[in-house]
Amino acid sequence: MKRILLPLLLVASLLVPLPSRAATPYPLAIGTGGVTGIYYQIGAALCRLLRDHPPAAPIDCSSEGTAGSVSNVQLVASGQLPLGLAQGDTLHDAVTGTGQFAGAPLDGRLRVLFSPVVETFLVLTTAANWTPQIVDLKGQRINIGPPASGSEVTFRQIMRARGWAPSDFLEISNIRSSLQAQALCGGRVDAVAFVAANPVPVMQEATFACAARLVPLDQVFAGQMIERYPYYVPAIVPGGLYPNNPDPTPTIGVRGIVIAGTDLPDEIAYAVTKTLFTQLAEFRTLHLAFAAADPNEMLDQCVFAEVHSGAARYYREAGLRMPRRCLS
């Protein structure tokens, strides 16, 4: 009997299918910005959603600190990063070959997934240096953020639109975002300018440490900027959002956009997009700046590169309107 059973057991064991080898996760590094900034938090939130709600295509996600918008566009366009975050004005300049991308357009290499936040242009001073409008800051020491950051891009564009030259300021510095509050409250600069999604850690730190105040952007000028440049939108910082700032502060905003290169596989772009929109309720809980995230506002907007085909596939399946491509 044993002689009969052993061959039968051997044959049966050969008929049992071997477990398939697990697919290698796609290494999804997301280029963000400084580790205290909103882009880093967006990257971390996307990675958390992908980890907690794994898609069919396995993904190994990481939020990578970078120099910011300009750097992210360059890294994504060159294939060094699969995903990145960039301000709408930076993306516009990249595809049109203007601004910091003058003469070197990257159109054809960049794609859009979605826009999770609106960032506001903010100028902050100490109470002693506060002025009723930004134009009155001429002749002072102002920090505009690290080189190649979205904050620097926006401030220099405002300078050009105003007809300002660097010589109109006593000093223009490039102190990184995480140190701006210390520089302001310590007297190293008279004002800091930055672009960020509210609430902003720099604002919170400075308003507590030295009663810092926001400077409004002249609304006639703001309207001209919005009319001239399609990537700017009206924005107001609510009164009382920060200590020592009880009144609403008018300014302009620009959307933060998740961008990809043309070589990002469709299934990965699809998975990232689907995960965000199907887990939007959880996304809203991951940071105060995400609390009002609305799918219609995230998509009903003007962008400056084509929507990635993988993201477009999800939008069609879900019956959502895709961002529209437009250029000035």
Side-chain angles (χ1 to χ4, degrees):
M1 179 66 69
K2 289 183 180 180
R3 290 181 181 179
I4 297 173
L5 285 176
L6 285 175
L8 288 175
L9 290 172
L10 178 60
V11 170
S13 67
L14 293 174
L15 293 176
V16 175
L18 295 174
S20 59
R21 182 177 297 177
T24 302
Y26 183 88
L28 187 72
I30 305 174
T32 57
V35 295
T36 61
I38 194 62
Y39 282 3
Y40 192 87
Q41 300 305 317
I42 292 171
L46 290 175
C47 288
R48 176 170 174 172
L49 293 178
L50 289 165
R51 181 196 68 208
D52 293 349
H53 309 277
I59 295 174
D60 181 14
C61 184
S62 60
S63 183
E64 303 291 333
T66 68
S69 281
V70 174
S71 175
N72 291 341
V73 166
Q74 293 168 334
L75 291 168
V76 168
S78 64
Q80 297 178 66
L81 281 176
L83 280 187
L85 280 133
Q87 288 178 194
D89 49 0
T90 302
L91 180 59
H92 172 275
D93 289 352
V95 300
T96 57
T98 55
Q100 295 204 31
F101 298 90
L106 298 173
D107 194 15
R109 292 187 248 171
L110 296 170
R111 295 292 182 266
V112 169
L113 268 64
F114 46 77
S115 170
V117 295
V118 173
E119 303 172 85
T120 51
F121 173 70
L122 305 170
V123 175
L124 190 64
T125 72
T126 59
N129 288 326
W130 187 83
T131 63
Q133 52 186 355
I134 288 172
V135 69
D136 297 324
L137 292 173
K138 289 174 64 176
Q140 298 194 36
R141 302 167 300 164
I142 189 165
N143 183 69
I144 62 174
S149 67
S151 296
E152 186 194 45
V153 168
T154 300
F155 188 81
R156 291 197 181 278
Q157 184 167 69
I158 287 176
M159 284 180 62
R160 290 192 295 271
R162 282 284 194 189
W164 291 343
S167 58
D168 288 323
F169 296 89
L170 183 61
E171 180 185 357
I172 295 178
S173 57
N174 295 104
I175 300 167
R176 70 177 184 266
S177 301
S178 61
L179 298 177
Q180 286 194 109
Q182 297 174 35
L184 180 67
C185 295
R188 292 173 56 195
V189 297
D190 302 311
V192 295
F194 51 99
V195 177
N198 292 295
V200 187
V202 169
M203 276 289 301
Q204 294 170 322
E205 182 180 353
T207 50
F208 278 112
C210 58
R213 294 186 62 186
L214 281 166
V215 180
L217 184 64
D218 173 68
Q219 284 303 278
V220 173
F221 175 69
Q224 293 169 346
M225 292 291 286
I226 293 166
E227 182 177 354
R228 182 175 178 182
Y229 302 107
Y231 35 79
Y232 291 132
V233 296
I236 294 179
V237 181
L241 182 63
Y242 301 105
N244 202 46
N245 288 268
D247 300 322
T249 303
T251 183
I252 56 176
V254 61
R255 297 208 71 97
I257 301 173
V258 176
I259 59 172
T262 51
D263 54 350
L264 182 72
D266 276 14
E267 64 268 25
I268 302 301
Y270 174 88
V272 172
T273 306
K274 180 178 181 178
T275 299
L276 174 67
F277 282 90
T278 57
Q279 305 302 327
L280 198 57
E282 181 177 342
F283 177 73
R284 294 188 187 108
T285 69
L286 299 181
H287 194 280
L288 286 174
F290 309 154
D294 179 279
N296 293 318
E297 292 182 3
M298 292 164 67
L299 297 175
D300 185 15
Q301 59 177 280
C302 182
V303 295
F304 312 100
E306 294 178 24
V307 175
H308 193 287
S309 53
R313 174 188 154 203
Y314 172 72
Y315 296 140
R316 286 192 298 268
E317 288 182 0
L320 296 171
R321 177 187 299 178
M322 284 189 285
R324 62 194 185 280
R325 188 179 188 191
C326 54
L327 293 171
S328 58

